[in-house]
Amino acid sequence: MKIVKQTLYLVFVALLLHVSGNAQDNKQVINPSTNIRSAKYPQILPNHQVIFRIKAADGKNVQIDLGKKYDLVKDADGYWTVTTDSISEGFHYYSLLIDGIAVADPASESFYGMGRMASGIEIPFSGGDYYALKNVPHGDIRIKTYYSTVTKSWRRLLVYAPPGYDINSTEKYPVLYILHGGGEDERGWAMQGKTDMILDNLIAEKKAKPMLVVMPDANMGGSGFGEDGLKAFENEMKQCIIPFIEKNYRVQTTSKNRAMAGLSMGGINTLYTGIYNTDLFSYLGVFSSGWIMPSQSTLADAQYDFLKKNNSRINNKLKALWISVGGKEDIAYKNCQTMLTKLDELKIKHTYYDYPGGHTWPVWRNDLYHFAPLLFK
Amino acid sequence: MKIVKQTLYLVFVALLLHVSGNAQDNKQVINPSTNIRSAKYPQILPNHQVIFRIKAADGKNVQIDLGKKYDLVKDADGYWTVTTDSISEGFHYYSLLIDGIAVADPASESFYGMGRMASGIEIPFSGGDYYALKNVPHGDIRIKTYYSTVTKSWRRLLVYAPPGYDINSTEKYPVLYILHGGGEDERGWAMQGKTDMILDNLIAEKKAKPMLVVMPDANMGGSGFGEDGLKAFENEMKQCIIPFIEKNYRVQTTSKNRAMAGLSMGGINTLYTGIYNTDLFSYLGVFSSGWIMPSQSTLADAQYDFLKKNNSRINNKLKALWISVGGKEDIAYKNCQTMLTKLDELKIKHTYYDYPGGHTWPVWRNDLYHFAPLLFK
């Protein structure tokens, strides 16, 4: 373990010599909150262009992939630099490409997304601060381990507990179960999604009721989008997650105090588990999703058939079926519209919300911000 | 954000087509728990050699830096492969070097360490399972935000709450405050350290008392190892962290129910804050640390002078001053021995524990496992 020791020693020495790595050369630029603490780059310009600068003396081809690929240019000291186009506010995944190999940028925090540890960059908001860290009462995020009798393995879930949960020791709270998308896991809503900040701020403004938000791992192995995966997750929710939460937390246990939502793949889980279990949930949120045509036609047809036979009961049970999409640029847009047309045909009550930004976290944060206030009224 | 969308779409498609990325080609090899869920490599052989395999068609030089650097060899399909020497059990940082640039391996979980997001690999234990996830009652890890009046900023700390904390709603618990090393942050003890597993298992076996473990961020800006940084952290502990914990958690508030420990840089913080505040703490743990000579001679001399003047009071107040090091291969070994000699001269009671493994997390996990049972008896 010789070099680990040397590396730690270099950290020792670097910290001894450290003056202020965060000092700004230029007051007009800022470091995103996603930078690791000593990183001077990336830097964000006032117009939201981003400057990336990476030392890679021996690289032959260095790019940043931020939706669009940018070629970095090398200077005589071995630093590669580029200034991007203006990037929209909020969280964006990105990759560093070294000789075509996609890796995380060592200068930024990494997040589990795109099926691997990927870099994230947080562009400051100009149009609203609903997920800012403010001087309001704060809840917390709890990392909890439970044994799944479905997968026969230990699994992890995250729980947002609202401000006052530990103090108001008799109050019982309603619960929103919310799911990440494909290639993500139980960390998505807490880390990329800023669920705690969004809820803290909504609760402080009395726009949303104090609630627990449960963030499970919806990856059940096998085919995430096939019926085996969807059915396995329905079983996980009913047999493991809901009983675990209701045993270990002070929560309301009636259907009118349970909501379920999810983004992308998690939206399909919500459609599958939620629609078939309106005795368990009174509120469903489907963000940037819809049955994927034609690969999920059979699943969709079975569900539409179920909806047709049960439409008055479902309309009666559900207090909200809230469906959103990130504008026409969302990869789920077409599938979502197909589903909406079908719901209209079947006379299933629903609310549709469209917000530009595509299939991205800025859209899903905004979805949570608009969905949470509708719940448990 | 075009390619982010495309990337997520590829994840969609990959998941649709996914059969079983975790299937083993060979029953003798295992995937470490640090692999991301679909990664087939790294693989660990029964003798703890590790096979790394990375697709990098356009790379010209690919290495793994695991303490020792290993050159990977490219095959005709663009895969680079190497089999390492046998690696000792537990958690190890490592890096992927592409053309000399150190980045995290996309196939493994990333951890904040070495001053950046670095890869970690968990080698299964053969000699003990004290940090295994077992069928015992489990506590949780809570991510909490607080406002620091010292740094004038919002900061984050992690809290381990023992099993039963939410249920035994009148019991008050003792608290261990434990600090990460240089280049790490408040996540170190929770993620790399497996504090929750170690405490869950010790508590289940009644080897340690149920306690809260508070994991603050000890990075105070400026020079981490200079007196300004050490003093700033002492202020942070006394003015912010301890009051915050004692206001928001059900904890005992006497000195005999407070302990402080830290590794490497966090050990220096413990020496500085702990020795000067024996009215606050009855137990101190200094892991892989000691005053760094000669750069910290002035600090050390001032402290030895303080110890000399107060030795009977300090011996009386402290129920344990527990000092450990990761064997002679620990980079802190020499500084630690210098300090031990001085403590003997000054007749300061202390306990020394030596465990081979160097300046690494396997050593620090073992330290916590041996230190926690001594507390609050």
Side-chain angles (χ1 to χ4, degrees), chain B residues 151-175:
Chain B
T151 62
K152 313 277 186 227
S153 64
W154 290 95
R155 291 172 68 86
R156 197 169 74 158
L157 53 76
L158 273 56
V159 177
Y160 166 77
Y165 180 84
D166 283 334
I167 293 162
N168 309 329
S169 62
T170 56
E171 190 170 342
K172 292 188 172 186
Y173 296 83
V175 186

mmCIF file of all heavy atoms in Angstrom, chain B residues 151-175:
data_model
loop_
_atom_site.group_PDB
_atom_site.id
_atom_site.type_symbol
_atom_site.label_atom_id
_atom_site.label_comp_id
_atom_site.label_asym_id
_atom_site.label_seq_id
_atom_site.Cartn_x
_atom_site.Cartn_y
_atom_site.Cartn_z
ATOM 1 N N THR B 151 -17.786 29.574 11.037
ATOM 2 C CA THR B 151 -17.442 29.777 9.624
ATOM 3 C C THR B 151 -18.440 30.695 8.920
ATOM 4 O O THR B 151 -18.234 31.054 7.773
ATOM 5 C CB THR B 151 -17.403 28.432 8.859
ATOM 6 O OG1 THR B 151 -18.709 27.848 8.910
ATOM 7 C CG2 THR B 151 -16.383 27.481 9.468
ATOM 8 N N LYS B 152 -19.537 31.029 9.612
ATOM 9 C CA LYS B 152 -20.613 31.849 9.011
ATOM 10 C C LYS B 152 -21.149 31.182 7.746
ATOM 11 O O LYS B 152 -21.342 31.823 6.711
ATOM 12 C CB LYS B 152 -20.151 33.276 8.663
ATOM 13 C CG LYS B 152 -19.368 33.991 9.746
ATOM 14 C CD LYS B 152 -20.257 34.631 10.768
ATOM 15 C CE LYS B 152 -19.463 35.476 11.766
ATOM 16 N NZ LYS B 152 -19.887 35.193 13.157
ATOM 17 N N SER B 153 -21.341 29.883 7.837
ATOM 18 C CA SER B 153 -21.869 29.164 6.676
ATOM 19 C C SER B 153 -22.625 27.929 7.159
ATOM 20 O O SER B 153 -22.439 27.473 8.291
ATOM 21 C CB SER B 153 -20.723 28.742 5.746
ATOM 22 O OG SER B 153 -19.868 27.823 6.410
ATOM 23 N N TRP B 154 -23.466 27.397 6.279
ATOM 24 C CA TRP B 154 -24.120 26.122 6.547
ATOM 25 C C TRP B 154 -23.101 25.016 6.390
ATOM 26 O O TRP B 154 -22.300 25.031 5.460
ATOM 27 C CB TRP B 154 -25.292 25.913 5.578
ATOM 28 C CG TRP B 154 -26.422 26.834 5.870
ATOM 29 C CD1 TRP B 154 -26.657 28.044 5.278
ATOM 30 C CD2 TRP B 154 -27.465 26.641 6.831
ATOM 31 N NE1 TRP B 154 -27.783 28.606 5.814
ATOM 32 C CE2 TRP B 154 -28.301 27.770 6.770
ATOM 33 C CE3 TRP B 154 -27.779 25.622 7.742
ATOM 34 C CZ2 TRP B 154 -29.434 27.920 7.582
ATOM 35 C CZ3 TRP B 154 -28.892 25.760 8.540
ATOM 36 C CH2 TRP B 154 -29.711 26.901 8.461
ATOM 37 N N ARG B 155 -23.135 24.063 7.300
ATOM 38 C CA ARG B 155 -22.224 22.927 7.231
ATOM 39 C C ARG B 155 -23.016 21.644 7.416
ATOM 40 O O ARG B 155 -24.184 21.658 7.787
ATOM 41 C CB ARG B 155 -21.131 23.041 8.311
ATOM 42 C CG ARG B 155 -20.160 24.180 8.021
ATOM 43 C CD ARG B 155 -19.188 24.422 9.167
ATOM 44 N NE ARG B 155 -18.242 23.342 9.354
ATOM 45 C CZ ARG B 155 -17.078 23.219 8.707
ATOM 46 N NH1 ARG B 155 -16.743 24.094 7.779
ATOM 47 N NH2 ARG B 155 -16.264 22.218 8.967
ATOM 48 N N ARG B 156 -22.358 20.536 7.145
ATOM 49 C CA ARG B 156 -23.040 19.251 7.201
ATOM 50 C C ARG B 156 -22.319 18.342 8.185
ATOM 51 O O ARG B 156 -21.089 18.345 8.236
ATOM 52 C CB ARG B 156 -23.020 18.639 5.801
ATOM 53 C CG ARG B 156 -24.004 17.518 5.598
ATOM 54 C CD ARG B 156 -24.103 17.160 4.131
ATOM 55 N NE ARG B 156 -22.920 16.434 3.695
ATOM 56 C CZ ARG B 156 -22.874 15.646 2.630
ATOM 57 N NH1 ARG B 156 -23.943 15.499 1.859
ATOM 58 N NH2 ARG B 156 -21.768 15.017 2.294
ATOM 59 N N LEU B 157 -23.044 17.584 8.969
ATOM 60 C CA LEU B 157 -22.431 16.519 9.759
ATOM 61 C C LEU B 157 -23.294 15.275 9.638
ATOM 62 O O LEU B 157 -24.461 15.338 9.253
ATOM 63 C CB LEU B 157 -22.207 16.933 11.216
ATOM 64 C CG LEU B 157 -23.336 17.497 12.059
ATOM 65 C CD1 LEU B 157 -24.293 16.398 12.507
ATOM 66 C CD2 LEU B 157 -22.756 18.170 13.312
ATOM 67 N N LEU B 158 -22.678 14.130 9.938
ATOM 68 C CA LEU B 158 -23.393 12.858 9.912
ATOM 69 C C LEU B 158 -23.478 12.329 11.339
ATOM 70 O O LEU B 158 -22.553 12.532 12.138
ATOM 71 C CB LEU B 158 -22.667 11.838 9.010
ATOM 72 C CG LEU B 158 -23.037 11.876 7.521
ATOM 73 C CD1 LEU B 158 -22.844 13.234 6.899
ATOM 74 C CD2 LEU B 158 -22.263 10.825 6.733
ATOM 75 N N VAL B 159 -24.590 11.719 11.650
ATOM 76 C CA VAL B 159 -24.802 11.183 12.997
ATOM 77 C C VAL B 159 -25.208 9.720 12.891
ATOM 78 O O VAL B 159 -26.161 9.391 12.168
ATOM 79 C CB VAL B 159 -25.925 11.960 13.727
ATOM 80 C CG1 VAL B 159 -26.198 11.355 15.111
ATOM 81 C CG2 VAL B 159 -25.584 13.438 13.851
ATOM 82 N N TYR B 160 -24.485 8.847 13.580
ATOM 83 C CA TYR B 160 -24.948 7.464 13.745
ATOM 84 C C TYR B 160 -25.860 7.442 14.966
ATOM 85 O O TYR B 160 -25.436 7.832 16.062
ATOM 86 C CB TYR B 160 -23.760 6.520 13.971
ATOM 87 C CG TYR B 160 -24.164 5.144 14.490
ATOM 88 C CD1 TYR B 160 -24.708 4.183 13.648
ATOM 89 C CD2 TYR B 160 -24.020 4.823 15.845
ATOM 90 C CE1 TYR B 160 -25.087 2.932 14.137
ATOM 91 C CE2 TYR B 160 -24.396 3.571 16.330
ATOM 92 C CZ TYR B 160 -24.937 2.638 15.468
ATOM 93 O OH TYR B 160 -25.313 1.409 15.944
ATOM 94 N N ALA B 161 -27.108 7.014 14.754
ATOM 95 C CA ALA B 161 -28.037 6.813 15.871
ATOM 96 C C ALA B 161 -28.156 5.310 16.094
ATOM 97 O O ALA B 161 -28.380 4.556 15.138
ATOM 98 C CB ALA B 161 -29.394 7.425 15.553
ATOM 99 N N PRO B 162 -27.987 4.840 17.328
ATOM 100 C CA PRO B 162 -27.958 3.387 17.569
ATOM 101 C C PRO B 162 -29.343 2.768 17.418
ATOM 102 O O PRO B 162 -30.353 3.484 17.431
ATOM 103 C CB PRO B 162 -27.466 3.294 19.012
ATOM 104 C CG PRO B 162 -27.907 4.571 19.648
ATOM 105 C CD PRO B 162 -27.839 5.621 18.563
ATOM 106 N N PRO B 163 -29.428 1.444 17.275
ATOM 107 C CA PRO B 163 -30.725 0.771 17.197
ATOM 108 C C PRO B 163 -31.571 1.173 18.401
ATOM 109 O O PRO B 163 -31.052 1.293 19.513
ATOM 110 C CB PRO B 163 -30.372 -0.719 17.292
ATOM 111 C CG PRO B 163 -28.921 -0.828 17.030
ATOM 112 C CD PRO B 163 -28.306 0.490 17.322
ATOM 113 N N GLY B 164 -32.832 1.414 18.166
ATOM 114 C CA GLY B 164 -33.734 1.735 19.276
ATOM 115 C C GLY B 164 -33.807 3.203 19.607
ATOM 116 O O GLY B 164 -34.644 3.606 20.410
ATOM 117 N N TYR B 165 -32.970 4.030 18.966
ATOM 118 C CA TYR B 165 -32.971 5.473 19.306
ATOM 119 C C TYR B 165 -34.358 6.086 19.142
ATOM 120 O O TYR B 165 -34.806 6.860 19.991
ATOM 121 C CB TYR B 165 -31.956 6.225 18.441
ATOM 122 C CG TYR B 165 -31.923 7.714 18.748
ATOM 123 C CD1 TYR B 165 -31.164 8.206 19.800
ATOM 124 C CD2 TYR B 165 -32.696 8.614 18.013
ATOM 125 C CE1 TYR B 165 -31.159 9.564 20.105
ATOM 126 C CE2 TYR B 165 -32.704 9.972 18.312
ATOM 127 C CZ TYR B 165 -31.934 10.442 19.360
ATOM 128 O OH TYR B 165 -31.945 11.786 19.658
ATOM 129 N N ASP B 166 -35.062 5.723 18.064
ATOM 130 C CA ASP B 166 -36.392 6.307 17.827
ATOM 131 C C ASP B 166 -37.456 5.721 18.744
ATOM 132 O O ASP B 166 -38.488 6.346 18.968
ATOM 133 C CB ASP B 166 -36.813 6.080 16.368
ATOM 134 C CG ASP B 166 -36.111 7.043 15.422
ATOM 135 O OD1 ASP B 166 -35.716 8.134 15.869
ATOM 136 O OD2 ASP B 166 -35.967 6.685 14.237
ATOM 137 N N ILE B 167 -37.218 4.510 19.234
ATOM 138 C CA ILE B 167 -38.248 3.816 20.010
ATOM 139 C C ILE B 167 -38.133 4.137 21.506
ATOM 140 O O ILE B 167 -39.117 4.420 22.170
ATOM 141 C CB ILE B 167 -38.165 2.292 19.749
ATOM 142 C CG1 ILE B 167 -38.561 2.017 18.281
ATOM 143 C CG2 ILE B 167 -39.079 1.510 20.705
ATOM 144 C CD1 ILE B 167 -38.126 0.661 17.780
ATOM 145 N N ASN B 168 -36.880 4.093 22.015
ATOM 146 C CA ASN B 168 -36.661 4.380 23.442
ATOM 147 C C ASN B 168 -36.685 5.883 23.641
ATOM 148 O O ASN B 168 -35.662 6.515 23.833
ATOM 149 C CB ASN B 168 -35.301 3.833 23.895
ATOM 150 C CG ASN B 168 -35.123 2.383 23.493
ATOM 151 O OD1 ASN B 168 -36.093 1.636 23.416
ATOM 152 N ND2 ASN B 168 -33.882 1.990 23.250
ATOM 153 N N SER B 169 -37.868 6.463 23.610
ATOM 154 C CA SER B 169 -37.942 7.913 23.424
ATOM 155 C C SER B 169 -37.638 8.721 24.686
ATOM 156 O O SER B 169 -37.771 9.933 24.676
ATOM 157 C CB SER B 169 -39.285 8.297 22.838
ATOM 158 O OG SER B 169 -40.310 7.925 23.731
ATOM 159 N N THR B 170 -37.212 8.070 25.735
ATOM 160 C CA THR B 170 -36.788 8.856 26.900
ATOM 161 C C THR B 170 -35.301 8.649 27.206
ATOM 162 O O THR B 170 -34.710 9.446 27.929
ATOM 163 C CB THR B 170 -37.594 8.483 28.158
ATOM 164 O OG1 THR B 170 -37.460 7.074 28.380
ATOM 165 C CG2 THR B 170 -39.079 8.821 27.973
ATOM 166 N N GLU B 171 -34.703 7.592 26.649
ATOM 167 C CA GLU B 171 -33.306 7.299 26.967
ATOM 168 C C GLU B 171 -32.361 8.361 26.391
ATOM 169 O O GLU B 171 -32.547 8.825 25.267
ATOM 170 C CB GLU B 171 -32.925 5.918 26.395
ATOM 171 C CG GLU B 171 -31.576 5.446 26.896
ATOM 172 C CD GLU B 171 -31.296 3.980 26.548
ATOM 173 O OE1 GLU B 171 -32.252 3.239 26.226
ATOM 174 O OE2 GLU B 171 -30.118 3.604 26.586
ATOM 175 N N LYS B 172 -31.364 8.722 27.195
ATOM 176 C CA LYS B 172 -30.346 9.665 26.711
ATOM 177 C C LYS B 172 -29.026 8.930 26.534
ATOM 178 O O LYS B 172 -28.629 8.150 27.395
ATOM 179 C CB LYS B 172 -30.187 10.821 27.697
ATOM 180 C CG LYS B 172 -31.423 11.712 27.737
ATOM 181 C CD LYS B 172 -31.191 12.954 28.573
ATOM 182 C CE LYS B 172 -32.390 13.887 28.419
ATOM 183 N NZ LYS B 172 -32.145 15.183 29.092
ATOM 184 N N TYR B 173 -28.349 9.196 25.440
ATOM 185 C CA TYR B 173 -27.177 8.424 25.036
ATOM 186 C C TYR B 173 -25.885 9.225 25.197
ATOM 187 O O TYR B 173 -25.881 10.442 25.008
ATOM 188 C CB TYR B 173 -27.329 8.011 23.572
ATOM 189 C CG TYR B 173 -28.481 7.079 23.322
ATOM 190 C CD1 TYR B 173 -29.784 7.561 23.145
ATOM 191 C CD2 TYR B 173 -28.298 5.699 23.296
ATOM 192 C CE1 TYR B 173 -30.853 6.696 22.935
ATOM 193 C CE2 TYR B 173 -29.361 4.827 23.089
ATOM 194 C CZ TYR B 173 -30.632 5.335 22.912
ATOM 195 O OH TYR B 173 -31.685 4.474 22.710
ATOM 196 N N PRO B 174 -24.774 8.527 25.456
ATOM 197 C CA PRO B 174 -23.469 9.196 25.394
ATOM 198 C C PRO B 174 -23.071 9.425 23.928
ATOM 199 O O PRO B 174 -23.680 8.848 23.019
ATOM 200 C CB PRO B 174 -22.537 8.181 26.058
ATOM 201 C CG PRO B 174 -23.177 6.853 25.838
ATOM 202 C CD PRO B 174 -24.670 7.094 25.803
ATOM 203 N N VAL B 175 -22.073 10.264 23.713
ATOM 204 C CA VAL B 175 -21.701 10.664 22.344
ATOM 205 C C VAL B 175 -20.196 10.545 22.110
ATOM 206 O O VAL B 175 -19.390 11.065 22.873
ATOM 207 C CB VAL B 175 -22.096 12.134 22.045
ATOM 208 C CG1 VAL B 175 -21.828 12.470 20.576
ATOM 209 C CG2 VAL B 175 -23.553 12.392 22.381
#
